[in-house]
C-alpha cells in the first residue's frame, strides 16, 4: 500500500517522490521533508510493514507506485530501494540513499539481529527503548522530543511488523554488485555520528555509484529526516531539482 500526500504544483517536469522508511519507522520519519517538498513533488509514503522479504516489499510498493518516480530510502528503506532497482530499474528516475548500506551484515551484526528476532518471537518486544536511543539519534536528542517520537513510532509499528521486517533484513541479497550499474542522479546521505549504519557504508555507495553526491549531516545520528529536518529537506530539494 502507498499513501499519497501532496499534489503536483510545478508542471510537467515534476516527479512523484516515493519515500521508504526504515525498520520500526512509519510516515513520521519523513513528515517534515514530505511537507517541505509538497510544492515540488507529489509525495508518496510506502508501507513496508506487511512483507517478510525485501522482494515482497518491493513488489507491493511497485504495484501501486506511479509509473516513474524519484525514490528515497533510509536504512531498511535503502535495502528495499535496491530491490526496486532490481525489479523495475526503468521506473526510478532519481535515487536518494540515507544511512543505509549495500553490503550484507557482518557476523556480529547478524547475530544481534537474530537475537532481537528471537526475543520478539518469544513475546519480549520492547520496540525502541531509552537504552537503544543513542544508537539511533545524536546524543543531544536522546532526551528531547525527537527521542520520544522515535520510541512512539516504534510502538506504532509494533511487534508483528518488526518480526517481518527483521526477517526481510536478515535474508536480503547483497547489493554491492548492483552499484556500478546504477545510472540515475543519486544522493547519498549519512549522519556524521550514525552508530547504527556507519558512515563508511555511505562512502562505499558514493564511491561505487557513478556521479553520486555525498552529503554528511553534522551532529546527526541514524535518522536525519527527524533529527535535522530542515537540512534534510534542503538536500532532498536540491537533489530533486538538479538538472
Amino acid at each position: 500500500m502507498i499513501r499519497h500526500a501532496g499534489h503536483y504544483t510545478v508542471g510537467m517536469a515534476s516527479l512523484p517522490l516515493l519515500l521508504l522508511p526504515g525498520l520500526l519507522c512509519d510516515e513520521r520519519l519523513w513528515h517534515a521533508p514530505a511537507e517541505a517538498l509538497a510544492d515540488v513533488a507529489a509525495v508518496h509514503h510506502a508501507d513496508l510493514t506487511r512483507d517478510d522479504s525485501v522482494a515482497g516489499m518491493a513488489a507491493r510498493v511497485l504495484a501501486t507506485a506511479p509509473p516513474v518516480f524519484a525514490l528515497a530510502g533510509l536504512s531498511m528503506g535503502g535495502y528495499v530501494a535496491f530491490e526496486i532497482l532490481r525489479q523495475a530499474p526503468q521506473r526510478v528516475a532519481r535515487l536518494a540513499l540515507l544511512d543505509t548500506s549495500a553490503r550484507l551484515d557482518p557476523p556480529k551484526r547478524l547475530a544481534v539481529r537474530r537475537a532481537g528476532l528471537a526475543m520478539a518471537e518469544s513475546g519480549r518486544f520492547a520496540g525502541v527503548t531509552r537504552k537503544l536511543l543513542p544508537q539511533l539519534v545524536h546524543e543531544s536528542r536522546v532526551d528531547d522530543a525527537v527521542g520520544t517520537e522515535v520510541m512512539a513510532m516504534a510502538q506504532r509499528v509494533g511487534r508483528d511488523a518488526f518480526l517481518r521486517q527483521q526477517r526481510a533484513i536478515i535474508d536480503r541479497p547483497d547489493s554491492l554488485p548492483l552499484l556500478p550499474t546504477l545510472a540515475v542522479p543519486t544522493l547519498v546521505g549519512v549522519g556524521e555520528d550514525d552508530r547504527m549504519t556507519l558512515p563508511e557504508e555511505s562512502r562505499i555507495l558514493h564511491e561505487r555509484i557513478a556521479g553520486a553526491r555525498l552529503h554528511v549531516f553534522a551532529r546527526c545520528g541514524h535518522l536525519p529526516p527527524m533529527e535535522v529536518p530542515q537540512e534534510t529537506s534542503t538536500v532532498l530539494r536540491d537533489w530533486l531539482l538538479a538538472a
Side-chain angles (χ1 to χ4, degrees), residues 224-241:
M226 294 180 72
E227 296 185 66
V228 285
Q230 184 172 352
E231 183 179 358
T232 302
S233 300
T234 298
V235 171
L236 288 175
R237 178 180 290 268
D238 291 346
W239 161 72
L240 280 170
L241 298 180

Side-chain angles (χ1 to χ4, degrees), residues 29-41:
L29 172 70
W30 294 106
H31 174 74
E35 284 201 339
L37 298 171
D39 64 323
V40 294

Side-chain angles (χ1 to χ4, degrees), residues 30 38 47 56 67 69 76 93 97-98 136 177 179 216 223 229-230 232 242:
W30 294 106
D47 178 1
F69 47 84
M76 180 189 73
L97 300 165
L98 302 186
L136 291 171
L179 302 185
V216 179
L223 303 174
Q230 184 172 352
T232 302

